[in-house]
Each structure stands twice: as structure tokens, then as C-alpha cells.
């Protein structure tokens, strides 16, 4: 069996059939040398060959076990789809639509740690359910800010959470590029549309001196 720390593309191809349309992995009829002995191999094939591989690990990701070691299924899918050994798969893989169990190759892309966080759902306790919006209890106002690479940008202060969130989304469209994903499910802020440009700090329409 391959070194479990760096499974090769050839070994993965012996283990799995990938349906690129669905992202589903199915176990192949694995060779005897994948196992400690022929009896173990025979028992495994009787139980698993042809079956869908992977189970939900509790956070929405699918996990596959090989030789008693757990691997995230989307990393295996990425490796097979791009003909890579596991050691060459990017450290961070982003699910483009945010659905952790949607492992279609078309829904997976390599990303940096920061890029991988751009389409993460807002923490309700931290953001009040609106990403990029922060409440200032001292003044009863909301502020918006956005992070891009290693730079934090203040987008101004607003009367409502929805207005602050709209400012964040407008900036995210510009600054996060292909990694932007609109996570809002609530009504749009008055007078605004998803995709409206936002006045970045220093331009008319934003409180450039606001603290965050």
C-alpha cells in the first residue's frame, strides 16, 4: 500500500471511480496488495466494492477511510480530477457554492486560507447574522469592515445592520473577486440592490473617519 501520508494518483485511481457530474466516489474492486492479506481483501470487496465511499463527519464534509486513516473526500476528488498525488493537493480547497458535501470537481478550487474564508457563513453571535456588520452599543450604530489579504478596511458607520451588511457586500464584490459569494437571505437594505457599488473609505457616501 502507498504511504498514507501521500497517496499517489495511481493508487487513488485503483481505489475509486469518480462521477464528475455528481462528485460521488465509489469503491472499485481493490487489489489484494491494498490489504494485509487475501482474506481481508476478499471480505472488504464483498462488503464495499461498488458502494459509495464516504460518510458525513458532522460538519457537513464527507470523510473516506483508507487503511484506517481518514481523508476528506473533497481532497481525494480534487486529486483524481487534476491527476495529482495527495501531497500536491492545495492545502485549502474551497467549495465554490458553500455546500460542503457538494464535491463535484467544478465546485472545488484551490485557495489560500484567506480566500477560503471569504464565502464562510457569518457568525450570528459576532455579526448578528450579517457578515461584515458590527454593532457599536455605545452609539447604537452599526459599522462595516472588510478584510482583504492582510489589510482591514473600514467601510463606515450605518443606522441599521442591513445597511452595514450591504456596504460589506458591495466591497466584497470588488475586493474578493471570484471568491465572493452573496450569503444574504434577508431583505435588501432600503434603496440598495445586491451588487450595488459601495463608496470605499475616503469617497463621498461613506463616513471615512468612522472607527471599527
Amino acid at each position: 500500500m502507498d504511504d498514507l501520508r501521500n497517496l499517489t494518483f495511481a493508487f487513488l485511481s485503483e481505489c475509486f471511480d469518480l462521477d464528475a457530474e455528481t462528485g460521488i466516489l465509489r469503491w472499485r474492486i481493490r487489489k489484494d496488495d491494498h490489504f494485509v492479506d487475501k482474506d481481508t481483501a476478499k471480505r472488504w470487496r464483498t462488503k464495499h466494492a461498488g458502494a459509495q465511499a464516504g460518510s458525513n463527519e458532522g460538519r457537513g464534509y464527507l470523510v473516506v477511510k483508507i487503511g484506517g486513516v481518514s481523508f476528506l473526500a473533497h481532497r481525494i476528488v480534487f486529486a483524481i480530477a487534476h491527476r495529482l498525488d495527495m501531497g500536491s493537493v492545495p492545502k485549502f480547497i474551497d467549495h465554490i457554492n458553500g455546500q460542503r458535501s457538494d464535491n463535484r470537481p467544478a465546485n472545488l478550487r484551490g485557495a489560500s486560507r484567506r480566500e477560503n474564508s471569504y464565502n464562510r457563513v457569518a457568525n450570528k453571535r459576532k455579526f448578528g447574522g450579517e457578515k461584515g456588520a458590527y454593532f457599536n452599543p455605545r452609539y447604537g450604530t452599526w459599522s462595516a469592515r472588510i478584510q482583504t489579504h492582510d489589510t482591514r478596511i473600514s467601510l463606515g458607520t450605518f443606522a441599521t445592520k442591513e445597511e452595514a451588511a450591504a456596504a460589506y457586500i458591495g466591497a466584497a464584490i470588488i475586493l474578493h473577486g471570484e471568491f465572493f459569494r452573496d450569503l444574504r437571505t434577508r431583505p435588501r437594505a432600503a434603496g440598495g440592490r445586491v451588487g450595488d457599488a459601495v463608496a470605499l473609505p475616503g469617497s463621498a457616501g461613506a463616513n471615512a473617519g468612522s472607527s471599527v
Side-chain angles (χ1 to χ4, degrees):
M1 181 181 288
D2 276 23
D3 181 351
L4 290 176
R5 294 168 297 179
N6 184 23
L7 297 177
T8 64
F9 168 72
F11 180 81
L12 293 173
S13 298
E14 292 177 355
C15 290
F16 303 103
D17 283 319
L18 168 63
D19 183 339
E21 295 297 318
T22 64
I24 290 175
L25 293 168
R26 292 193 179 276
W27 291 108
R28 302 190 72 182
I29 300 174
R30 294 169 65 192
K31 298 178 179 179
D32 288 348
D33 61 10
H34 287 203
F35 304 90
V36 294
D37 55 53
K38 291 185 177 181
D39 287 340
T40 301
K42 183 177 180 180
R43 287 195 300 270
W44 185 94
R45 287 192 291 260
T46 299
K47 183 176 182 180
H48 297 289
Q52 182 173 336
S55 59
N56 193 306
E57 47 74 80
R59 297 176 299 160
Y61 295 110
L62 297 178
V63 169
V64 175
K65 282 193 174 183
I66 303 175
V69 177
S70 295
F71 295 87
L72 288 167
H74 63 270
R75 297 188 66 79
I76 294 176
V77 169
F78 192 94
I80 293 175
H82 294 273
R83 303 179 67 85
L84 298 173
D85 298 342
M86 288 294 286
S88 298
V89 173
K91 185 175 181 179
F92 296 97
I93 302 294
D94 181 53
H95 287 78
I96 295 171
N97 66 6
Q99 299 299 314
R100 293 175 173 178
S101 61
D102 184 354
N103 291 335
R104 291 174 296 118
N107 190 46
L108 304 176
R109 61 186 168 192
S112 66
R113 180 190 292 272
R114 178 66 62 187
E115 289 168 339
N116 194 42
S117 71
Y118 286 161
N119 66 5
R120 191 172 297 159
V121 175
N123 181 313
K124 289 186 177 181
R125 292 181 63 184
K126 185 176 181 181
F127 301 106
E130 296 285 6
K131 193 168 184 177
Y134 301 80
F135 183 63
N136 187 331
R138 181 177 180 181
Y139 298 105
T141 58
W142 289 82
S143 62
R145 65 176 182 242
I146 190 169
Q147 184 102 8
T148 179
H149 303 295
D150 294 323
T151 303
R152 180 179 293 175
I153 301 172
S154 172
L155 302 174
T157 57
F158 304 86
T160 68
K161 173 175 63 176
E162 290 76 17
E163 289 172 335
Y168 169 86
I169 285 180
I173 290 171
I174 299 169
L175 298 174
H176 293 172
E178 65 174 312
F179 287 91
F180 167 74
R181 182 167 67 92
D182 189 354
L183 299 168
R184 295 189 303 177
T185 57
R186 287 160 290 281
R188 299 180 177 88
R193 301 189 307 276
V194 173
D196 280 352
V198 63
L200 293 176
S203 62
N207 287 329
S210 301
S211 60
V212 294

